[in-house]
Amino acid sequence: MLYFSELGNKQVRSSSGEIIGRLDDLIFSFQKTPSIKKLYIVKGRKRFFDRKRILDKEQKVIIPLEYVDRFDNEQFILKKNFQESTVAENELFLKKNLLDTQVIDIEENNIVRVNDVLIQKVGRDYIIFGVDIGLAGLLRWIGLEDAAERFFRTFRITFYNQVLSWSDIQPLELTRGRVVVKSKFNSLQSVHPADLADYLETQNLKNSMKLIEGIDKHYVADVLSELSPAYQVSILRRISVDKLVPIVAAMHLDDAIDIIAVLAKKKQEALLEKLPHDISQQITNLIHISDTALGKFISPDYLAVRSTETTASVLKKIKNSTKNYSNLDYIYVVNKQNQLVGVFSLHDLLLQKNETPVYKFMTTRIVTATLSTPLEIAYRRIVKYKITAIPVIVDERQMLGVVTIDDISEAVMNRIYAT
Amino acid sequence: MFSILGPGIISAVADNDAGGVATYTVAASLYGYAAQFLIIPVTVLLGVTQEVGSRIAIVSRRGLADLIRERFGVKWSIGIFILLFITNQAVVIQNVSGIRASLTLLNLPYYIFLPLVIILIWLLLLKGNFKTIQRGLLILTLFYFVYLISAFQSHPNWLRAIENTFWPIDIKQFDVKYIFTLIAVLGTTITAWGQFFIQSFVKDKGLDVVNLKHEKFEVYAGAFITNFFSFMIVVAVSATIYANGISVDDAADAAHAITPFAGELAYILFSCGLFVASIMGASIVPLSTAYAFSEFFGFERSLDKSFSQSKMFYSFLIIQLIIGLIAALIPALSLFQLTLYASFLNGAILPVIFFFLIKFSNDSGIMGRHVNTKGENYILLGSSFVVLMAVLITTIGSFFIQ
């Protein structure tokens, strides 16, 4: 996830290193899933006062995103033969039209402001994922987000990111300078379950539960299966068995097993009892087949670091302490209580500058398994999320070890041949 | 009758809060008639700034803080808000000390009653509505008639008073302290919070572009009325306190100004008036801080919502009141000793506020065809320059004196 506050004002250079200007704004196409199309670059000094007139100023360049070769914390580097472009009819400015404007949240009957814009990479596109309307978005501009988070944590106040996903915003209003958020409950049905799952994970559990209880069972089933396993567990723990029955019944069998596997034993049994007989029969059979715990596949060869460590210190740790590892693809991030909070790949790490702290580039959507996760399910997750190893956690998200694809491939294959 | 009176008059009258009364009293006790030098240009300037502010709000339907945030982004908003918070806090301290002064005058132990009054204000803001406050403000105007009558009863030298508004002939030499006092008088008349307040008020009232002319008349009338009464306060104080060489250290001294009219009743009348003026200031200034905060940062703003629904909004109200209360409970602190400093602070940030007014009111993207006239621009630019210079001279000057 990228924040506009961290992208704006970066230098833009040509492939030969010549400075072209400073990134002032981003231009996005104005459609159902808006994606970033062009960079708006101003030459020379920053002008505070003339945002409305930017189009009349001479000292500006618009360059399509496809000419961006790469970018990092400091700068954008363009490809060799980049060309200038202009604003198309269905395009809008991110900073001028969206940032700092007011958003009307109909459900809460609030007027809030867009404090930051969240951009997510999807395939080769960068789409506008949503807008940050919370305190965190404000503090990010002055570089105090992390300090504030630590401060609030010492007082045991959770510091939530308040994010509205793009699907909640009525884009038509954008052109008129005012953004209206649709009533959440009505707009949900038209959102892709995966998008809603993404959105839910930015919300606190209470809000998520409220949303889940308000929507159609079939739809909830789809959304639940799209959630990251860790978030799934926290949500499922809060849904009573009676409410879970129709949801699980509406799921695909595969997904239903995934869900049931993460439940506590007692809840599992209660649920299976209450499900319609034919469904519970099928599920029991499938679970029975894959009833091999992960325990014997766990490897303790993994590296865990803290989120505040820098790239340089992580690299040093790798050199010093992983000599005997058979494999190292991922580095896991844990907090004081050894709870798993993030992950990044070796490749992610190598792309960073020495002083960049880990929290800047780690992923917080982690695919995990528990000791009781059936082998097949762990394997399926590894394949589904295209990873090479899955971390195994216990109760409070404490990390036990990892299961790598190498270690379980053989067992899975044996089982396929055996049946 | 109340329904035809609008934001213009109310904002202008609210400028004469406890801080206003105290500042005029102290200034006049120090310099006599010369304290109102420049009162005519200041009146015009007050009218212009309020008119520009209300015009921006009518045309753009946005508050001043809204526009700063939308046009200048987060960093500027945070900076300006901190500045506004500090100056408003100074005004709140002025007003809470004003309550303390009036309680002392009425022989009530302030360390018991002051916290009670603050709780009362808090409840008023929590439960009350805007109309109550509006009416209270207008009733407050009646209190100033006391000064009007006192001014006449004290048989002042009217010619000299008027001459001094054009040139301070009573002043032997322009020193730093005199310029400091003039900025304080300016700062209590044209306040930063007043500028934010009138725009939020106009926006909430939902006035339309067709009301522009009516609104223009109203703000100028408001500016005239306010400064007419300020003038009368200065005249009354000059002819009584200044003429007798009394230095104003507390409310009892200040009450001397209305003895020609009220005689022995003066103390009670003055303390009641000061009490009401302080209550109004102490409720409306924190309110304006909280409104500005909500506009800047987009958190819930409304007096109609319960505490839990708009925590941030109410937090800023109570923080300012509590800081004001703590400051006013310090026994050594007197309203009349600190008032000039608080007002000076308000005057000193005016160039910043004017900068935004000029910027927004000339932006045809915001104002359409209702951009400023050349005259208004010259007045705003000229006075920003003069105030800026005066602030610099005073700051540097006082540095050298010490």
Side-chain angles (χ1 to χ4, degrees):
Chain A
M1 194 79 72
L2 296 164
Y3 294 104
F4 179 73
S5 58
E6 292 169 343
L7 288 178
N9 284 331
K10 277 193 180 145
Q11 237 169 33
V12 184
R13 289 169 185 269
S14 68
S15 54
S16 56
E18 176 201 0
I19 297 177
I20 293 165
R22 178 184 60 76
L23 180 70
D24 183 71
D25 211 335
L26 290 169
I27 297 170
F28 65 95
S29 68
F30 179 48
Q31 43 186 238
K32 204 166 181 208
T33 19
S35 63
I36 307 289
K37 294 290 180 203
K38 290 159 191 169
L39 307 182
Y40 183 87
I41 299 159
V42 292
K43 289 177 172 171
R45 295 201 44 207
K46 182 174 178 176
R47 279 187 299 275
F48 289 114
F49 314 128
D50 290 320
R51 271 206 346 220
K52 67 157 186 84
R53 282 192 291 176
I54 46 186
L55 285 179
D56 317 327
K57 290 276 166 181
E58 277 182 299
Q59 282 191 310
K60 48 108 188 173
V61 202
I62 294 173
I63 292 170
L65 193 66
E66 56 258 33
Y67 291 115
V68 173
D69 188 30
R70 59 184 190 274
F71 67 94
D72 56 30
N73 288 339
E74 301 267 294
Q75 57 193 3
F76 284 81
I77 309 279
L78 300 182
K79 286 180 185 160
K80 228 171 199 172
N81 302 311
F82 67 85
Q83 278 172 356
E84 291 189 29
S85 173
T86 50
V87 188
E89 202 176 305
N90 64 337
E91 290 177 334
L92 281 175
F93 289 86
L94 188 151
K95 180 163 134 191
K96 197 179 97 178
N97 298 110
L98 185 60
L99 191 68
D100 295 332
T101 50
Q102 289 181 326
V103 168
I104 301 167
D105 184 339
I106 289 174
E107 197 202 345
E108 300 278 332
N109 197 16
N110 272 356
I111 297 179
V112 290
R113 263 186 203 288
V114 176
N115 290 335
D116 206 345
V117 180
L118 284 72
I119 299 164
Q120 194 173 35
K121 190 173 182 189
V122 175
R124 298 177 62 186
D125 289 334
Y126 287 88
I127 63 156
I128 294 183
F129 172 72
V131 296
D132 189 332
I133 56 165
L135 192 59
L138 268 183
L139 294 169
R140 201 172 298 122
W141 283 97
I142 48 172
L144 285 179
E145 187 196 8
D146 301 309
E149 200 176 340
R150 273 195 296 277
F151 174 79
F152 281 113
R153 210 187 299 144
T154 51
F155 291 100
R156 303 200 163 259
I157 300 171
T158 329
F159 192 63
Y160 293 118
N161 255 346
Q162 286 173 284
V163 174
L164 291 174
S165 89
W166 182 263
S167 43
D168 287 336
I169 295 173
Q170 226 161 342
L172 261 183
E173 299 288 327
L174 261 182
T175 41
R176 279 176 246 149
R178 261 206 162 181
V179 183
V180 177
V181 172
K182 285 186 269 188
S183 169
K184 281 178 193 152
F185 285 93
N186 296 333
S187 68
L188 280 178
Q189 305 291 338
S190 60
V191 183
H192 190 272
D195 287 341
L196 183 64
D198 279 351
Y199 171 68
L200 283 184
E201 290 181 21
T202 66
Q203 299 289 302
N204 60 44
L205 277 172
K206 219 171 113 192
N207 285 348
S208 299
M209 291 302 297
K210 223 164 65 185
L211 280 176
I212 284 176
E213 276 161 20
I215 49 183
D216 178 71
K217 297 292 166 257
H218 285 269
Y219 190 64
V220 174
D222 287 342
V223 174
L224 276 182
S225 14
E226 292 288 346
L227 285 171
S228 77
Y231 204 79
Q232 246 178 25
V233 178
S234 2
I235 291 270
L236 289 173
R237 274 200 190 140
R238 285 173 172 74
I239 304 181
S240 68
V241 173
D242 290 330
K243 280 188 182 157
L244 213 51
V245 170
I247 298 176
V248 172
M251 281 180 169
H252 293 289
L253 268 187
D254 283 7
D255 294 327
I257 294 169
D258 265 2
I259 297 274
I260 290 171
V262 301
L263 291 176
K265 257 280 154 350
K266 266 191 184 165
K267 212 170 178 179
Q268 264 184 21
E269 284 161 9
L271 181 64
L272 285 171
E273 217 164 84
K274 287 190 179 170
L275 276 172
H277 185 70
D278 56 324
I279 296 179
S280 79
Q281 195 65 47
Q282 285 176 349
I283 292 176
T284 332
N285 285 342
L286 278 171
I287 289 180
H288 194 70
I289 296 170
S290 57
D291 197 18
T292 316
L294 276 184
K296 57 181 165 186
F297 299 103
I298 288 187
S299 150
D301 289 351
Y302 71 93
L303 181 67
V305 298
R306 301 290 297 279
S307 64
T308 45
E309 285 183 55
T310 62
T311 303
S313 79
V314 175
L315 284 170
K316 207 169 151 195
K317 275 194 178 168
I318 294 176
K319 281 176 189 152
N320 291 340
S321 60
T322 65
K323 228 175 263 171
N324 303 323
Y325 287 15
S326 58
N327 195 354
L328 182 82
D329 286 343
Y330 302 102
I331 292 103
Y332 299 94
V333 186
V334 294
N335 62 14
K336 263 189 198 152
Q337 287 81 39
N338 194 32
Q339 288 167 318
L340 184 60
V341 294
V343 65
F344 54 92
S345 73
L346 215 47
H347 182 218
D348 293 336
L349 181 73
L350 292 175
L351 291 177
Q352 304 304 320
K353 297 211 145 199
N354 274 341
E355 65 275 11
T356 310
V358 162
Y359 62 77
K360 285 262 179 185
F361 57 91
M362 70 181 192
T363 311
T364 48
R365 293 193 63 192
I366 319 162
V367 182
T368 58
T370 61
L371 275 177
S372 57
T373 307
L375 181 64
E376 269 81 359
I377 285 167
Y379 187 71
R380 194 156 55 215
R381 278 182 197 161
I382 287 179
V383 174
K384 181 175 172 189
Y385 292 99
K386 298 187 178 65
I387 49 181
T388 62
I390 191 166
V392 180
I393 54 172
V394 288
D395 266 8
E396 297 290 309
R397 299 186 60 68
Q398 264 94 9
M399 201 164 161
L400 274 186
V402 291
V403 170
T404 65
I405 190 162
D406 310 351
D407 293 336
I408 55 173
S409 294
E410 202 187 338
V412 172
M413 211 138 62
N414 286 344
R415 202 167 294 195
I416 293 170
Y417 286 122
T419 46
Chain B
M1 167 201 161
F2 290 126
S3 61
I4 55 161
L5 293 169
I9 287 177
I10 290 188
S11 311
V13 169
D15 281 336
N16 273 350
D17 56 358
V21 173
T23 303
Y24 294 126
T25 306
V26 174
S29 76
L30 291 172
Y31 297 104
Y33 297 130
Q36 65 206 0
F37 169 50
L38 291 180
I39 198 159
I40 295 169
V42 167
T43 309
V44 175
L45 189 59
L46 175 65
V48 170
T49 53
Q50 298 268 296
E51 194 275 325
V52 170
S54 59
R55 181 153 41 89
I56 294 174
I58 289 174
V59 176
S60 72
R61 295 186 183 276
R62 281 175 171 76
L64 189 53
D66 280 329
L67 283 168
I68 293 176
R69 174 63 196 274
E70 278 166 32
R71 299 276 150 168
F72 290 83
V74 173
K75 287 179 189 171
W76 278 77
S77 302
I78 292 174
I80 300 294
F81 178 72
I82 291 172
L83 219 65
L84 184 72
F85 184 89
I86 294 169
T87 45
N88 282 6
Q89 188 62 65
V91 180
V92 174
I93 293 175
Q94 265 183 339
N95 282 293
V96 179
S97 317
I99 301 173
R100 189 189 105 174
S102 56
L103 289 172
T104 320
L105 215 54
L106 293 169
N107 278 326
L108 296 168
Y110 67 84
Y111 44 87
I112 297 172
F113 282 90
L114 194 53
L116 286 179
V117 173
I118 296 297
I119 292 169
L120 216 69
I121 293 176
W122 169 241
L123 287 176
L124 179 88
L125 291 175
L126 205 62
K127 304 280 175 202
N129 62 24
F130 219 70
K131 272 208 171 123
T132 333
I133 296 172
Q134 263 190 46
R135 286 179 192 186
L137 274 170
L138 288 165
I139 291 165
L140 174 64
T141 328
L142 299 178
F143 164 67
Y144 295 109
F145 280 99
V146 173
Y147 275 103
L148 181 69
I149 299 165
S150 277
F152 277 98
Q153 296 272 329
S154 61
H155 306 294
N157 186 343
W158 288 107
L159 185 67
R160 198 144 185 92
I162 289 166
E163 275 171 350
N164 267 291
T165 65
F166 292 101
W167 190 251
I169 44 174
D170 286 355
I171 295 292
K172 307 251 159 21
Q173 62 178 53
F174 262 76
D175 59 358
V176 169
K177 205 174 170 215
Y178 180 59
I179 301 174
F180 175 85
T181 311
L182 285 181
I183 295 174
V185 170
L186 174 73
T188 198
T189 312
I190 306 172
T191 55
W193 69 263
Q195 221 45 58
F196 281 90
F197 179 77
I198 192 169
Q199 276 196 230
S200 306
F201 199 163
V202 167
K203 186 178 90 175
D204 276 0
K205 200 147 185 170
L207 292 180
D208 198 62
V209 179
V210 293
N211 299 118
L212 268 177
K213 269 212 173 114
H214 160 86
E215 190 52 31
K216 191 169 188 165
F217 170 77
E218 203 208 324
V219 291
Y220 280 110
F224 175 77
I225 293 170
T226 319
N227 281 348
F228 175 73
F229 284 120
S230 322
F231 179 80
M232 289 305 163
I233 295 175
V234 171
V235 168
V237 173
S238 301
T240 51
I241 297 175
Y242 178 70
N244 294 319
I246 304 169
S247 84
V248 177
D249 291 323
D250 57 32
D253 299 331
H256 282 303
I258 56 171
T259 38
F261 160 63
E264 287 310 304
L265 258 176
Y267 288 98
I268 294 174
L269 207 56
F270 181 79
S271 51
C272 291
L274 188 64
F275 184 74
V276 181
S278 311
I279 296 264
M280 286 307 154
S283 5
I284 230 158
V285 178
L287 197 61
S288 124
T289 315
Y291 271 120
F293 174 79
S294 310
E295 282 182 15
F296 271 130
F297 305 119
F299 293 94
E300 177 55 44
R301 51 163 287 193
S302 182
L303 285 174
D304 305 329
K305 301 239 167 167
S306 69
F307 183 76
S308 61
Q309 275 176 308
S310 41
K311 277 181 206 146
M312 284 288 209
F313 184 82
Y314 284 110
S315 302
F316 272 92
L317 283 180
I318 193 112
I319 287 171
Q320 290 223 307
L321 283 175
I322 287 175
I323 297 178
L325 176 66
I326 292 169
L329 281 175
I330 301 169
L333 199 83
S334 156
L335 165 67
F336 294 88
Q337 281 159 357
L338 72 91
T339 192
L340 284 191
Y341 297 98
S343 298
F344 175 79
L345 193 59
N346 258 290
I349 73 157
L350 282 183
V352 181
I353 305 295
F354 289 173
F355 165 77
F356 288 115
L357 286 183
I358 295 168
K359 201 74 208 167
F360 296 142
S361 56
N362 283 300
D363 188 332
S364 56
I366 299 173
M367 302 299 289
R369 57 192 185 83
H370 299 286
V371 290
N372 272 2
T373 61
K374 269 193 180 153
E376 286 166 322
N377 276 336
Y378 287 138
I379 291 176
L380 284 175
L381 272 171
S383 45
S384 317
F385 179 74
V386 171
V387 175
L388 196 64
M389 282 300 125
V391 170
L392 285 178
I393 289 168
T394 335
T395 318
I396 298 167
S398 58
F399 188 71
F400 274 113
I401 285 168
Q402 280 163 6

